[in-house]
Amino acid sequence: MAIALAATVATPAYAAPGRKQITDTMKRATRFMVEKVATNGGYVWSYLPDMSRRWGEMEAYPSMVWVQPPGTGTMGHLFLDAYHATGDEYYYQAAEKAADALISGQQPSGGWHYFIDFGGEASTRQWYDTIGKNAWRLEEFQHYWGNATFDDAGTSEAMQFLLRLYVEKRDPKYRPALEKAIDFVLESQYPVGGWPQRYPLKNEFAHHGKPDYSSFITFNDDVAGENIKFLRMCYQALGENRVLDAINRAMTVYLVTQQGKPQPGWALQYTVDLKPSGARTYEPTALATHATAGALSQLMDFYRLTGDTKFLARIPEALDWLDSLRLPDAQVKDGKAYPSFVEIGTDKPLYIHRRGSNVVNGAYYVDYDPANTVIHYGSTRALDVAGLRRRYEALKASNPAEIAKDSPLKPGPAKPLPRYFLLDMGKISDLNTSKEEASADGLVKSLNADGWWPTELKATSNPYKGDGSPAAQPGDYRETRVGDATDTSPYFAEKPVIGISTGTYIEHMETLIAALQKVGA
């Protein structure tokens, strides 16, 4: 009887948070970030609660803000997303503060470095002479070039955010910085269509027997793809006809850098005469399977933008080549079935190793041995070659004129940019409502009294305590993220501390913005 009675008791309906609960939570969390955490309107990636230490990709000075995502530009995008979701001017003002931080750090060339140091040139140089030069595995931080970088999407995200902010209200105060950014992308492009990693061009950091790679044509971290995206946005939103030639040359550079048979793939970098080249000491002169997969995806995007079948013509041979490189099942771990690097001329997989204990006595090297490879830069990759092939087959069967009819590159009036940048609003209708509401409810409840979401800071680093020693220190550092105690590279802490995370704030705000679409007005 009791069992039957229990079966008839209705489960209480889940009470989803209402719009006011969600917007109040968003506002409290944002006020904390804007009014307590920001430095001159900008942000790094994570902070200890007492602000005694903070990090971007590496440990930062209190005077620094990070441009590299998820930094100041990402926060600016989030603020504009929140502004669109709520109509609250506070978020627009927060976006303006982020823009002001970026503009203050925009270089005369029009681009950005990885970070902005409000402490000035002397502070930046001190950071490079201490923390930067002792980061064993982060060679891009070991030398201060003093120019701007396209690496890791920092410049591209900053440019895209400034464009988005400008078109929001057409405030003329943002136009000069935006024009400088457009000029920077156009001036730094090589005639063949690619871009260097850094600009204005310099060649002053040759080390470990390798040349300075920062002037090489770069596909690593989607440099070309991000610049094409920005220029396309400029044409779409501003009608900037002067960017069309640069877009077309940039799309074509993918065609001229694809290697011939029997190795029809791509490298991460190329010399200006279009020969594959290495970059950092753990990025050998080789073809790269992940660069190849990225290039194939871009070519399919270009076909959708233009309807030009030349972008599809050599995709099948590259897909076949990738299939031929699949590792034996016994060597596949965590779904990573393809070698990252392939020797030119032989198709042999290349594996990355290191010896020593710090940046002074240590060295990276490459061979054919898959044992004891470094873990901070994968020697193998998980690639969805079958998915790329399915996408290609669908595009091949399409009508070229039909597929490009709504392309933002088509002549015509300016077209609006996407309303939201950090979340795909088209997927919201596919979410499980109760799960989404429960997640929003959890975030409403877990925001602490100070206004931040407590987060385990999994990444940490050794504080600078002096330069590394010429003699290797005891220990095995072949497969660790960090070397001895003088290595300032970030690594994963065994016991993470609780702190403030910019990435967590962004992720949780995205969830709450998505929940607002369910709640409605």
Side-chain angles (χ1 to χ4, degrees):
M1 181 68 177
I3 294 175
L5 182 61
T8 65
V9 176
T11 302
Y14 169 71
R19 183 176 183 85
K20 187 174 187 307
Q21 285 180 290
I22 294 172
T23 56
D24 285 352
T25 301
M26 291 171 59
K27 191 70 165 287
R28 279 210 306 126
T30 302
R31 282 193 183 280
F32 178 79
M33 296 299 290
V34 171
E35 299 168 20
K36 302 293 185 184
V37 174
T39 299
N40 294 345
Y43 304 84
V44 296
W45 295 2
S46 59
Y47 308 76
L48 292 184
D50 63 0
M51 299 292 173
S52 58
R53 295 185 75 190
R54 63 191 67 200
W55 295 265
E57 186 168 13
M58 293 184 62
E59 183 163 10
Y61 287 165
S63 56
M64 288 178 173
V65 301
W66 229 251
V67 179
Q68 192 180 3
T72 302
T74 324
M75 289 289 279
H77 277 309
L78 186 279
F79 294 143
L80 285 180
D81 282 359
Y83 174 61
H84 288 161
T86 65
D88 189 335
E89 284 291 325
Y90 184 83
Y91 295 107
Y92 182 82
Q93 293 162 6
E96 287 192 302
K97 292 176 181 177
D100 290 345
L102 290 171
I103 291 170
S104 69
Q106 186 178 23
Q107 299 197 356
S109 63
W112 282 265
H113 184 48
Y114 294 109
F115 58 78
I116 298 165
D117 189 349
F118 292 105
E121 184 79 0
S123 176
T124 299
R125 289 190 177 278
Q126 181 184 29
W127 186 91
Y128 270 99
D129 288 341
T130 55
I131 295 173
K133 80 172 187 178
N134 282 284
W136 185 11
R137 67 178 178 84
L138 292 172
E139 295 174 10
E140 61 271 36
F141 288 106
Q142 292 171 9
H143 174 74
Y144 179 47
W145 282 270
N147 56 5
T149 181
F150 286 117
D151 190 34
D152 284 346
T155 286
S156 63
E157 184 173 64
M159 296 188 298
Q160 291 165 25
F161 165 56
L162 287 181
L163 170 62
R164 190 180 174 207
L165 183 65
Y166 170 71
V167 300
E168 184 68 37
K169 295 186 178 182
R170 301 281 171 167
D171 190 328
K173 69 183 179 183
Y174 297 116
R175 189 71 192 225
L178 178 58
E179 289 290 340
K180 280 179 63 177
I182 296 172
D183 289 342
F184 174 72
V185 178
L186 296 179
E187 291 171 5
S188 60
Q189 186 182 31
Y190 284 115
V192 73
W195 281 274
Q197 190 192 72
R198 304 191 70 98
Y199 189 82
L201 300 178
K202 296 186 178 183
N203 291 283
E204 57 187 39
F205 189 48
H207 66 133
H208 292 88
K210 291 196 170 189
D212 188 323
Y213 61 87
S214 62
S215 65
F216 295 168
I217 295 171
T218 301
F219 290 107
N220 192 23
D221 290 322
D222 202 21
V223 165
E226 286 289 341
N227 285 341
I228 291 170
K229 178 182 177 183
F230 171 66
L231 295 176
R232 176 177 56 77
M233 288 169 59
C234 290
Y235 181 74
Q236 176 180 343
L238 304 176
E240 284 274 4
N241 288 314
R242 64 185 173 130
V243 306
L244 287 176
D245 175 65
I247 292 172
N248 288 326
R249 285 188 290 118
M251 292 191 293
T252 302
V253 80
Y254 284 82
L255 300 178
V256 300
T257 51
Q258 184 178 10
Q259 302 299 284
K261 290 183 177 179
Q263 292 183 299
W266 281 263
L268 289 173
Q269 283 87 19
Y270 293 80
T271 57
V272 292
D273 58 354
L274 302 184
K275 294 179 180 177
S277 178
R280 292 173 291 190
T281 57
Y282 44 83
E283 292 168 327
T285 297
L287 299 183
T289 58
H290 50 301
T292 298
L296 293 175
S297 182
Q298 288 285 7
L299 289 174
M300 288 186 264
D301 287 344
F302 300 158
Y303 171 68
R304 293 188 65 88
L305 285 171
T306 65
D308 193 331
T309 56
K310 70 182 181 183
F311 294 115
L312 300 183
R314 294 189 61 201
I315 287 178
E317 62 189 89
L319 290 171
D320 291 345
W321 179 67
L322 286 176
D323 276 336
S324 74
L325 299 173
R326 184 181 172 89
L327 296 168
D329 289 345
Q331 295 182 30
V332 177
K333 185 178 180 181
D334 299 326
K336 297 177 180 179
Y338 299 86
S340 296
F341 295 109
V342 177
E343 188 175 52
I344 296 173
T346 69
D347 272 353
K348 290 182 179 180
L350 298 175
Y351 296 94
I352 308 158
H353 309 272
R354 73 180 184 183
R355 54 178 169 262
S357 69
N358 61 49
V359 71
V360 177
N361 62 61
Y364 286 88
Y365 62 97
V366 174
D367 62 20
Y368 306 122
D369 184 0
N372 303 123
T373 57
V374 299
I375 64 170
H376 65 78
Y377 196 104
S379 286
T380 55
R381 303 280 165 157
L383 304 177
D384 186 7
V385 179
L388 288 171
R389 192 179 294 279
R390 287 192 298 270
R391 185 182 173 200
Y392 164 76
E393 294 294 343
L395 291 175
K396 181 184 176 183
S398 68
N399 182 323
E402 183 69 20
I403 202 163
K405 69 176 183 178
D406 296 322
S407 169
L409 296 183
K410 290 287 186 182
K415 306 171 185 67
L417 297 176
R419 185 168 177 79
Y420 298 95
F421 263 57
L422 298 188
L423 69 162
D424 184 350
M425 302 305 292
K427 293 182 179 178
I428 287 180
S429 60
D430 297 330
L431 293 174
N432 179 288
T433 300
S434 61
K435 180 180 179 181
E436 179 67 20
E437 290 172 345
S439 178
D441 182 57
L443 297 181
V444 168
K445 293 175 179 176
S446 61
L447 189 70
N448 69 16
D450 290 328
W452 52 281
W453 284 287
T455 303
E456 283 191 346
L457 302 184
K458 295 181 180 179
T460 187
S461 64
N462 295 322
Y464 173 72
K465 57 178 63 178
D467 294 345
S469 65
Q473 301 301 296
D476 184 353
Y477 302 103
R478 291 178 297 174
E479 298 180 72
T480 60
R481 290 183 176 273
V482 67
D484 63 37
T486 64
D487 184 0
T488 54
S489 303
Y491 63 94
F492 294 136
E494 291 184 8
K495 296 181 179 180
V497 299
I498 299 298
I500 301 159
S501 166
T502 302
T504 294
Y505 164 80
I506 291 168
E507 180 182 351
H508 290 352
M509 286 287 288
E510 289 176 32
T511 298
L512 293 174
I513 290 170
L516 280 181
Q517 314 311 305
K518 295 285 187 180
V519 174

